[in-house]
Amino acid sequence: LGRTLEEALASVSGQTRAPAEVLVVDDGSQDPFTRNLLATVTSRGVRVVRTPGVGVAAARNLGAELTSAPWLVFLDADDVLAPTYLEQTLAAAEEDPDLGFVSTGMRAFGLTENSWIPPDPDLTGSLIRGVVHVSSLCRRSAFAAVGGFDSDLSNFEDLDFWTGLVKAGVRGRV
């Protein structure tokens, strides 16, 4: 996804509240364009680690393991954050120290354009109407409490992770 990664990284560097750290996990990309791009982003303060194609769940877990900030946001290479995303989600989290995660609505762009607001994060609603998106702000301690993403899953790892948080009693807010 090197052709969309630049826009994703620009959305991170353009935040009104700067991220504590930025790490890209390259999960075994063989695409020359992506590999060339990743060789250039380190000069902009972005750390890059490579894995041999371990899968999205294990790659996300590795990213969490290799960082130390108290809050995590997982951003796929074909997604972007609104400029005030970190400012607004961190403000909500700082207002309520009992929150384990904060999510937002999302807007699809490109070939499909639509908006979606996740349901309030309760177990029944999450199972019936969907879970918050993967780029939701998550407290590191909440992430650790449920053991991160299940790397044995090749699908639905997001559903498993977010419902696992709610099932464990972690409070979230949309």
Side-chain angles (χ1 to χ4, degrees), residues 13-165:
S13 65
Q15 290 295 299
T16 55
R17 181 168 174 176
E21 51 194 322
V22 179
L23 172 71
V24 172
V25 178
D26 174 12
D27 192 25
S29 175
Q30 298 301 314
D31 172 49
F33 182 89
T34 301
R35 293 179 67 96
N36 288 337
L37 175 65
L38 289 174
T40 69
V41 299
T42 57
S43 65
R44 292 181 264 162
V46 176
R47 288 188 329 170
V48 176
V49 296
R50 290 191 166 82
T51 64
V54 295
V56 66
R60 288 179 182 153
N61 290 341
L62 178 63
E65 179 185 324
L66 295 176
T67 57
S68 61
W71 291 94
L72 301 165
V73 176
F74 300 95
L75 183 66
D76 292 342
D78 59 348
D79 292 336
V80 296
L81 299 175
T84 59
Y85 179 84
L86 290 177
E87 178 183 348
Q88 291 180 345
T89 56
L90 285 165
E94 289 164 352
E95 283 176 19
D96 186 349
D98 292 332
L99 287 176
F101 63 95
V102 178
S103 190
T104 64
M106 58 184 277
R107 184 169 35 99
F109 60 92
L111 296 177
T112 303
E113 293 195 19
N114 60 45
S115 296
W116 179 71
I117 298 175
D120 288 331
D122 65 68
L123 190 57
T124 302
S126 293
L127 290 171
I128 294 172
R129 295 183 306 278
V131 294
V132 299
H133 54 81
V134 72
S135 296
S136 299
L137 180 78
C138 183
R139 189 180 298 273
R140 177 179 298 280
S141 58
F143 179 86
V146 297
F149 292 91
D150 185 343
S151 58
D152 290 335
L153 296 176
S154 58
N155 292 306
F156 304 111
E157 68 284 337
D158 295 350
L159 174 66
D160 177 72
F161 174 73
W162 295 109
T163 55
L165 282 176

